[in-house]
Amino acid sequence: MGRILHIGVGNFSRAHLADYTQDAGAWRIMGVSLRSATIRDGLRAQNYRYGLAIQGQAVKPITVFDSVLVAPENPRAVLQEIAASDVQIISITVTEKGYHLTSDNQLDVADALIAGDLAGGDPRTVIGFLARGLAARQAPVTVLSCDNRAANGDVLRAAVAEFAARAGLSIDWAQASFPNSMVDRITPATSQALRDATGDPMAVPTEPFREWVIEDSFAGPRPDWPDVQFTDDVAPHEMRKLRMLNAAHSMLAYAGTLAGHTYVHEAMGDPTLRQAARDIMAEAARTLTPDMQALAPAYADALIARFDNPHINHSLRQIAMDGSQKLPYRMIDSIRALQGQGHPAPALAAGVRAWITFCRQEVAEGRDVQDPLAAQIAEIIRTGKADNALLQLIGADDLSQAISG
């Protein structure tokens, strides 16, 4: 039986990684929460079992978790598990901000948490835990990022290597692989209505669709995950998803919230926003590889149908979080690619402007922007600086003219 150590036990991992692993059989998962004991406590109260409420299907029992460690309670236990020889895969879903990177995907050594981890003592970040745990490891391991970052495995490996170099740690890189991957499954927050309907306080709602593409570069054994596409090159699949699905989602989050909507399917009922989503997908499709361009029209139609689903109450504000981390590869990369082709990108530019307007409205109305750069965003807005200062935060100040329209 194989073992997976999974860092970041939120709803997405419990609807995606855990679902696939449940279907594979013969593997178990130990979870790690980097911050709160809430999920651990909830799962422990029901023997680490919960129901996956797949829309239109019976609630599926998920029984693959053995336990969940809470890092602040026992960081040494987390380090021991990262180094444990019977852990073959360390998987990660900590969201974009959890990697503590700059806008150009470098380790943000000025970040307070990263600086603290580099100073020694017990780690608090996934990068610090991985670097120190891998330095103590003597067996092969696959470190599998399942977060929505372009080239997520390459970026994670570089961040860990940078941390290790600065901390004077020696890692046997020949034994550690960091495959790139692309994950896709719309998974909203759990509602009280679902808890009441299922009698399960830890139930997770999700859509029937699921997709996982992984670079076939594992350092050791892997589960027999059904329906996973193993490939030599994840990038075309990843680009399709990030630039079409995620870009449209972000636009809907900002423009939809500004228009007074709460959920994705409500925003899709707005004809203007519906067309804007289609336009973003069409612009993004022009930046893809020829093979993916051929698939793009059907993929866009499938995305529209998924966004329309009235049974998946996917909160726009949930998607709107951490925009400074998401927009660079959801929209900015596409705008640059289209510029290089000599094409304008009005829909994508409008999506970036919606983020700027959203941030300005949040600050004006006294709400905290949910973003790791919230303090900088608020300072820019309160001091009356121009939009270009916000674009600079996401590494896009060179595109000011293209985005301003």
Side-chain angles (χ1 to χ4, degrees):
M1 179 177 291
R3 289 188 66 216
I4 298 171
L5 182 70
H6 182 76
I7 303 174
V9 286
N11 271 19
F12 180 78
S13 65
R14 290 187 286 134
H16 194 266
L17 167 78
D19 187 31
Y20 278 98
T21 305
Q22 182 78 33
D23 290 347
W27 282 68
R28 305 294 297 171
I29 301 172
M30 173 184 282
V32 175
S33 172
L34 289 177
R35 294 181 297 174
S36 169
T38 301
I39 291 176
R40 188 275 312 276
D41 292 347
L43 289 175
R44 186 169 61 182
Q46 47 198 58
N47 199 25
Y48 296 98
R49 297 167 179 252
Y50 64 94
L52 184 61
I54 304 171
Q55 188 256 316
Q57 302 177 22
V59 176
K60 178 177 181 178
I62 302 295
T63 62
V64 292
F65 279 93
D66 284 331
S67 60
V68 174
L69 299 174
V70 179
E73 292 180 358
N74 194 347
R76 299 300 172 88
V78 177
L79 290 170
Q80 287 170 4
E81 291 298 332
I82 292 172
S85 60
D86 64 338
V87 170
Q88 291 95 356
I89 296 172
I90 302 169
S91 53
I92 300 162
T93 50
V94 293
T95 75
E96 293 88 345
K97 66 184 175 185
Y99 291 76
H100 302 277
L101 304 177
T102 61
S103 61
D104 57 353
N105 278 337
Q106 302 301 306
L107 182 66
D108 187 359
V109 295
D111 179 275
L113 291 177
I114 292 293
D117 282 5
L118 284 169
D122 294 328
R124 297 174 63 190
T125 70
V126 69
I127 305 299
F129 272 111
L130 285 174
R132 297 195 182 278
L134 291 176
R137 192 178 173 92
Q138 299 179 358
V141 69
T142 300
V143 183
L144 180 59
S145 171
C146 303
D147 280 304
N148 283 321
R149 275 198 170 274
N152 52 12
D154 295 339
V155 168
L156 177 58
R157 186 187 190 280
V160 173
E162 174 72 9
F163 185 101
R166 288 177 176 270
L169 301 172
S170 178
I171 295 173
D172 185 352
W173 295 106
Q175 292 200 101
S177 69
F178 288 73
N180 294 308
S181 73
M182 184 275 280
V183 297
D184 188 8
R185 192 171 213 178
I186 294 173
T187 305
T190 302
S191 67
Q192 189 57 48
L194 177 62
R195 296 185 183 99
D196 293 342
T198 60
D200 179 358
M202 301 306 294
V204 176
T206 196
E207 64 174 339
F209 178 90
R210 66 179 188 178
E211 185 178 16
W212 201 359
V213 183
I214 308 176
E215 182 182 356
D216 196 1
S217 61
F218 283 66
R222 69 184 187 219
D224 186 17
W225 285 312
D227 307 323
V228 171
Q229 182 177 346
F230 294 99
T231 180
D232 293 334
D233 187 7
V234 173
H237 305 270
E238 180 181 72
M239 191 179 296
R240 164 179 56 88
K241 191 253 183 175
L242 290 172
R243 294 187 178 185
M244 292 183 69
L245 186 158
N246 293 120
H249 250 177
S250 286
M251 180 280 297
L252 290 169
Y254 302 120
T257 300
L258 291 168
H261 304 297
T262 302
Y263 299 114
V264 170
H265 67 270
E266 294 173 346
M268 288 297 290
D270 183 323
T272 300
L273 296 178
R274 187 183 190 86
Q275 186 59 52
R278 281 227 176 250
D279 291 344
I280 276 185
M281 293 178 196
E283 288 179 7
R286 300 185 73 165
T287 73
L288 305 181
T289 63
D291 287 349
M292 290 298 160
Q293 285 190 39
L295 300 174
Y299 183 63
D301 288 343
L303 290 179
I304 295 297
R306 291 170 67 193
F307 291 0
D308 276 338
N309 189 342
H311 303 290
I312 300 293
N313 287 327
H314 201 182
S315 166
L316 295 171
R317 285 191 171 273
Q318 179 185 355
I319 300 167
M321 294 172 63
D322 308 333
S324 70
Q325 310 295 295
K326 297 173 179 177
L327 292 190
Y329 50 87
R330 292 188 178 194
M331 296 188 191
I332 300 304
D333 286 349
S334 293
I335 295 173
R336 284 205 177 94
L338 288 167
Q339 271 197 340
Q341 297 173 7
H343 297 303
L348 286 159
V352 178
R353 292 197 302 274
W355 171 69
I356 292 171
T357 304
F358 173 85
C359 290
R360 290 192 177 281
Q361 180 168 299
E362 293 293 283
V363 172
E365 295 183 358
R367 287 187 292 270
D368 292 331
V369 178
Q370 300 301 303
D371 194 289
L373 300 182
Q376 295 96 313
I377 291 169
E379 176 68 14
I380 287 169
I381 293 169
R382 287 175 182 144
T383 55
K385 293 181 181 177
D387 291 350
N388 196 54
L390 290 171
L391 294 177
Q392 188 173 11
L393 277 184
I394 59 174
D397 48 318
D398 59 307
L399 297 176
S400 179
Q401 185 173 354
I403 290 171
S404 62

